[in-house]
C-alpha cells in the first residue's frame, strides 16, 4: 500500500524558515516524480513544485520561486520542501503527492504551516 | 499561470446526474493531461479521473470525464450522499507546470 506521511509543519514568524518532510513507503520511491501541493484554509488546491525521480530537475510555481526548494533523498525514501522568507500567504496545509504520468495519484494527509507574528 | 475556472457550487438530488465544468486554455486543458480530484472535508484529495476520461482502479463507473476544446467536464451519475465533497480539476501545462481549478462544492440535496 502506497503511504505518504508529511511532517515538519508548525507555526513560524514572517520571514522565517521551515523544512517539510514526506516519508514514502509501499512503492519504489526512486522511480517516481514527486510534488508538493498546498491548500490555504478554506481555499482550493495550488500546485507548488515537482521534482524528477533522480532529483536532477525541479520546477516551481511563480509564487514560491526563489524562496522554496524541493529535494529528495532516495536512500531514505524521503521528499523535502525547504521554505524560506515565509509570508502570511504561505499559510496552508502542504501535501506531498506521487506523480504517475502527469497526474498526482497518491497523496499524503498533509501538514499545516502557519505563518503569523 | 491562472487557475482553471470551475463553478463554485453545484447540487443535485440522489439518483440524478450532475456535470462540473473546468475551463482553461490551449496551454493547459488543451494539453489533454486533465485530472479530477475529490476531497471530503479534512481529508486528502483523491484521484477520480485522469487523462481527461480514464478512471483509476477502484473508482466507481458513475464518474466520467470528457473534454470539448478547452473545457473539461466531470459527470457524476446516480448521485449518492457519499459523493458530497469538493471537486477539483487539474491540468499539466505546456510549460511543464500544473494548474488546479478553484474547486466546486457538490451538495447532494
Amino acid at each position: 500500500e502506497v503511504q505518504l506521511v508529511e511532517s515538519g509543519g508548525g507555526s513560524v514568524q514572517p520571514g522565517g524558515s521551515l523544512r517539510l518532510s514526506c516519508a514514502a513507503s509501499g512503492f519504489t520511491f526512486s522511480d517516481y516524480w514527486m510534488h508538493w501541493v498546498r491548500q490555504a484554509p478554506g481555499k482550493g488546491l495550488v500546485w507548488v513544485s515537482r521534482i524528477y525521480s533522480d532529483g536532477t530537475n525541479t520546477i516551481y510555481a511563480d509564487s514560491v520561486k526563489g524562496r522554496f526548494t524541493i529535494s529528495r533523498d532516495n536512500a531514505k525514501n524521503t521528499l523535502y520542501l525547504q521554505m524560506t522568507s515565509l509570508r502570511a500567504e504561505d499559510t496552508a496545509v502542504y501535501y506531498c503527492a506521487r506523480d504517475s504520468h502527469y497526474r498526482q495519484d497518491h497523496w499524503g494527509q498533509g501538514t499545516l504551516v502557519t505563518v503569523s507574528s | 499561470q491562472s487557475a482553471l475556472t470551475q463553478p463554485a457550487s453545484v447540487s443535485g438530488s440522489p439518483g440524478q446526474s450532475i456535470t462540473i465544468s473546468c475551463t482553461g486554455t490551449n496551454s493547459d486543458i488543451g494539453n489533454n493531461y486533465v485530472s479530477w480530484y475529490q476531497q471530503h472535508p479534512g481529508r486528502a484529495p483523491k484521484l477520480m479521473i485522469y487523462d481527461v476520461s480514464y478512471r483509476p482502479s477502484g473508482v466507481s463507473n458513475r464518474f466520467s470525464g470528457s473534454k470539448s476544446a478547452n473545457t473539461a467536464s466531470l459527470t457524476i451519475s446516480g448521485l449518492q450522499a457519499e459523493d458530497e465533497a469538493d471537486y477539483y480539476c487539474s491540468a499539466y501545462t505546456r510549460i511543464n507546470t500544473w494548474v488546479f481549478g478553484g474547486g466546486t462544492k457538490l451538495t447532494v440535496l
Side-chain angles (χ1 to χ4, degrees):
Chain A
E1 178 194 3
V2 172
Q3 283 203 321
L4 298 168
V5 179
E6 301 93 338
S7 61
S11 294
V12 61
Q13 292 188 336
S17 300
L18 211 55
R19 188 177 83 155
L20 307 182
S21 299
C22 169
S25 61
F27 65 102
T28 304
F29 181 68
S30 58
D31 284 349
Y32 290 85
W33 294 4
M34 295 293 294
H35 298 265
W36 287 100
V37 177
R38 70 184 181 183
Q39 185 171 34
K43 302 297 185 181
L45 300 172
V46 176
W47 176 80
V48 172
S49 182
R50 180 272 293 144
I51 187 169
Y52 274 6
S53 56
D54 61 2
T56 58
N57 184 281
T58 59
I59 192 165
Y60 301 90
D62 287 344
S63 59
V64 306
K65 200 174 298 182
R67 301 187 300 122
F68 290 11
T69 303
I70 189 172
S71 63
R72 63 192 298 160
D73 185 336
N74 285 344
K76 295 183 177 179
N77 292 338
T78 303
L79 175 73
Y80 302 101
L81 186 68
Q82 178 69 48
M83 304 185 295
T84 63
S85 302
L86 282 162
R87 307 165 180 168
E89 54 265 36
D90 295 319
T91 293
V93 173
Y94 285 74
Y95 296 100
C96 66
R98 190 181 80 168
D99 182 282
S100 178
H101 199 61
Y102 312 124
R103 58 192 179 264
Q104 291 88 15
D105 68 341
H106 285 88
W107 298 61
Q109 287 304 305
T111 187
L112 176 63
V113 172
T114 302
V115 184
S116 173
S117 55
Chain B
Q1 184 74 40
S2 299
L4 305 173
T5 301
Q6 298 181 231
S9 63
V10 298
S11 62
S13 299
Q16 289 186 331
S17 294
I18 63 94
T19 297
I20 300 171
S21 62
C22 170
T23 300
T25 68
N26 192 52
S27 295
D28 38 58
I29 300 291
N31 208 20
N32 286 320
Y33 292 110
V34 179
S35 302
W36 289 91
Y37 300 87
Q38 176 192 64
Q39 186 181 35
H40 287 107
R43 304 294 300 273
K46 175 186 176 184
L47 178 67
M48 305 300 285
I49 295 288
Y50 66 93
D51 292 357
V52 176
S53 61
Y54 292 86
R55 277 188 311 276
S57 174
V59 172
S60 170
N61 60 9
R62 298 185 299 104
F63 291 82
S64 62
S66 63
K67 195 192 82 158
S68 177
N70 294 326
T71 296
S73 297
L74 173 71
T75 297
I76 309 173
S77 58
L79 267 181
Q80 299 179 359
E82 68 209 47
D83 299 332
E84 185 162 295
D86 294 326
Y87 291 85
Y88 295 91
C89 59
S90 175
Y92 176 55
T93 76
R94 295 188 194 278
I95 58 170
N96 303 316
T97 60
W98 282 258
V99 61
F100 285 89
T104 298
K105 180 177 179 60
L106 169 61
T107 300
V108 180
L109 302 170

